[in-house]
């Protein structure tokens, strides 16, 4: 098992030696994080994709990216194993050290193990229900589970999959989206509080550094939606559970040129009484000290199709999409799903380009929305 976790000193040293532009890193929670991260979502659960993902991690780190995002349910646990193999190789070659890499995963969806050859429910019975990790009624029709025993078990499996002693960030994966169509809001919030308490225990053990919520809708829909969550309320809950030094420091949400609600929809309320302000999700996160990573920068390639993306900036479509997202105030990094050497080479060219200055970004948004 690889010891350690990302540190201020290690991540700063990574940025300094990377050869990428200095403006291509963000400082958050004392860490220096690349403002483009690597995602590992899509692909078949086969050896060929394993090799592509591991190679993409290595190539991305060499290009200056030190944020790596995965999830235990991606490709039936094989995405995590591919990440772990790449991290071990990077360390063995001396390309990067563990303290220079910020490694994130997610738990919540019920997953099988693609390497066992067992059917989904056969695996669930063997690994989760028979040992008592999951009880009747814990799994929703969306195949989501928030039982603390299950989420804690997933942390242990993720650690083994990646060969790590500590994970930098564990997200609760699409909790509102996977639960709130089937349980009351009151029950959901109680389950969320219990999950936070478990995450704080795992932090105290040194098995995770931070936790957060990887989301699809809940922070960017209207406050009248049944799926809506107040980011301020969730932060307040984390403080009640874990104190001022709680570990709830990150969220993930969709954001791109078409999923622009995180930037433009003022659906979050921060403050109390007469000091209440209505802010976008990105602005609210900044106000509350929450780091935001963003998903689906290319909408799984649809934004890169000819004639789909607005024509702005003198960049190729993929770099244009990344430049827009990473220049938005409050965004730490878009997470780019890339596997082939050609895609990695194309996308990591962004690390040689400075993000837009805030006046430039504001002018760009004004032109696109007018």
């Amino acid at each position: 098992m690889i010891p350690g976790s990302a540190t201020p000193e290690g991540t700063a040293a990574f940025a300094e030696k990377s050869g990428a532009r200095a403006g291509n890193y963000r400082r958050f929670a004392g860490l220096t994080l690349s403002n483009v991260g690597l995602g590992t979502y899509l692909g078949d659960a086969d050896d060929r994709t394993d090799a592509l993902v591991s190679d993409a991690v290595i190539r991305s780190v060499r290009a200056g990216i030190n944020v790596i995002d995965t999830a235990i349910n991606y490709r039936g646990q094989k995405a995590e194993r591919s990440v772990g193999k790449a991290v071990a190789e990077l360390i063995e070659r001396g390309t990067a050290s563990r303290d220079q890499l910020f490694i994130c995963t997610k738990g919540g969806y019920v997953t099988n193990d693609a390497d066992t050859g067992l059917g989904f429910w056969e695996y669930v019975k063997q690994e989760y229900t028979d040992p008592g990790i999951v009880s009747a009624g814990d799994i929703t029709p969306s195949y989501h589970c928030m039982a603390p025993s299950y989420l804690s078990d997933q942390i242990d499996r993720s650690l083994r999959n990646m060969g790590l002693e500590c994970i930098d960030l564990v997200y609760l994966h699409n909790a509102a989206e996977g639960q709130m169509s089937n349980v009351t809001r009151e029950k959901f919030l109680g389950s969320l509080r219990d999950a936070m308490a478990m995450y704080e225990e795992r932090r105290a053990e040194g098995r995770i550094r931070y936790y957060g919520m990887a989301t699809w809708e809940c922070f960017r829909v209207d406050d009248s939606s049944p799926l809506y969550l107040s980011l301020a309320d969730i932060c307040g809950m984390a403080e009640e559970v874990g104190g001022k030094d709680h570990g709830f420091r990150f969220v993930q949400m969709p954001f791109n040129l078409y999923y622009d609600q995180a930037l433009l929809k003022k659906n979050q309320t921060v403050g109390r009484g007469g000091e209440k302000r209505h802010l976008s999700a990105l602005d609210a996160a900044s106000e509350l000290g929450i780091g935001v990573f963003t998903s689906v920068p290319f909408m799984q390639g649809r934004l890169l199709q000819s004639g789909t993306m607005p024509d702005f900036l003198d960049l190729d479509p993929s770099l244009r999409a990344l430049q827009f997202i990473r220049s938005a105030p409050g965004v730490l990094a878009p997470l780019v799903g890339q596997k082939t050497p050609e895609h990695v080479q194309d996308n990591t060219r962004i690390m040689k380009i400075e993000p837009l200055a805030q006046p430039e970004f504001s002018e760009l948004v004004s032109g696109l929305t007018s």
Side-chain angles (χ1 to χ4, degrees):
M1 304 291 278
I2 299 169
S5 59
T7 66
E9 298 78 12
T11 54
F14 178 89
E16 185 174 353
K17 74 171 186 178
S18 70
R21 296 288 185 93
N24 289 339
Y25 294 88
R26 298 274 189 263
R27 292 272 297 172
F28 187 83
L31 302 172
T32 305
L33 305 175
S34 56
N35 66 4
V36 173
L38 173 67
T40 58
Y41 173 41
L42 295 176
D44 295 326
D46 57 23
D47 293 344
R48 175 181 176 276
T49 306
D50 287 348
L52 285 172
V53 171
S54 293
D55 184 65
V57 173
I58 292 169
R59 290 175 182 271
S60 297
V61 170
R62 285 175 175 167
I65 290 173
N66 68 343
V67 174
I68 302 166
D69 180 86
T70 189
I72 192 168
N73 65 308
Y74 291 174
R75 299 196 303 113
Q77 304 190 45
K78 290 174 75 66
E80 286 188 333
R81 291 173 187 145
S82 299
V83 168
K85 180 181 178 183
V87 170
E89 188 169 334
L90 286 163
I91 293 172
E92 183 179 353
R93 292 181 179 181
T95 306
S97 53
R98 175 65 185 93
D99 62 347
Q100 296 177 339
L101 304 176
F102 189 74
I103 301 172
C104 321
T105 193
K106 313 175 189 74
Y109 281 112
V110 180
T111 183
N112 65 343
D113 184 335
D115 285 336
T116 65
L118 295 176
F120 179 84
W121 287 114
E122 185 181 3
Y123 181 83
V124 169
K125 181 177 185 298
Q126 174 182 292
E127 297 293 320
Y128 304 136
T129 59
D130 284 353
I133 294 168
V134 173
S135 302
D138 285 343
I139 300 175
T140 70
S142 302
Y143 299 95
H144 197 276
C145 182
M146 282 181 65
S149 55
Y150 177 74
L151 296 175
S152 183
D153 169 89
Q154 297 296 277
I155 291 173
D156 291 332
R157 291 176 195 263
S158 292
L159 288 164
R160 291 196 298 270
N161 284 340
M162 293 188 284
L164 303 177
E165 288 189 359
C166 179
I167 300 169
D168 297 295
L169 170 59
V170 172
Y171 294 105
L172 183 54
H173 198 177
N174 287 356
E177 296 81 357
Q179 292 278 328
M180 292 179 71
S181 296
N182 304 285
V183 304
T184 65
R185 176 172 288 268
E186 181 181 14
K187 178 175 174 56
F188 169 76
L189 292 175
S191 297
L192 181 57
R193 180 182 291 271
D194 291 343
M196 286 182 169
M198 181 278 299
Y199 285 133
E200 290 292 347
E201 290 174 1
R202 303 313 304 266
R203 288 184 72 218
E205 296 169 359
R207 306 302 271 170
I208 67 173
R209 286 291 309 283
Y210 301 103
Y211 60 95
M213 294 179 70
T215 68
W216 186 252
E217 295 181 88
C218 63
F219 292 132
R220 60 189 184 95
V221 294
D222 292 332
D223 59 10
S224 59
S225 169
L227 288 179
Y228 173 82
L229 291 179
S230 161
L231 187 54
D233 288 350
I234 301 303
C235 289
M237 179 187 292
E239 187 170 331
E240 290 172 6
V241 171
K244 292 284 187 182
D245 192 35
H246 63 83
F248 181 78
R249 300 297 176 188
F250 297 89
V251 297
Q252 188 179 131
M253 65 183 76
F255 176 53
N256 57 45
L257 278 160
Y258 285 84
Y259 288 150
D260 57 10
Q261 298 92 341
L263 176 71
L264 300 179
K265 183 187 288 289
K266 295 187 176 183
N267 64 336
Q268 295 287 329
T269 302
V270 176
R272 297 180 178 178
E275 298 180 356
K276 285 184 177 179
R277 288 175 294 144
H278 298 290
L279 303 174
S280 69
L282 288 177
D283 285 341
S286 294
E287 186 84 5
L288 295 164
I290 300 296
V292 179
F293 292 107
T294 67
S295 58
V296 292
F298 307 144
M299 293 181 67
Q300 296 180 4
R302 294 192 297 276
L303 276 179
L304 305 183
Q305 296 173 6
S306 178
T308 302
M309 186 182 299
D311 187 14
F312 65 92
L313 305 176
D314 187 21
L315 296 170
D316 293 343
S318 63
L319 302 189
R320 201 183 316 159
L322 295 176
Q323 186 74 324
F324 173 80
I325 298 165
R326 72 183 188 143
S327 300
V331 171
L332 290 178
L335 302 169
V336 187
Q338 50 190 21
K339 288 189 292 295
T340 68
E342 294 77 19
H343 286 160
V344 174
Q345 182 176 354
D346 286 346
N347 295 335
T348 54
R349 287 181 296 156
I350 198 72
M351 300 303 289
K352 302 296 184 183
I353 303 169
E354 292 278 357
L356 297 175
Q358 289 312 301
E360 293 177 287
F361 180 77
S362 297
E363 183 179 352
L364 173 60
V365 170
S366 178
L368 291 173
T369 56
S370 60

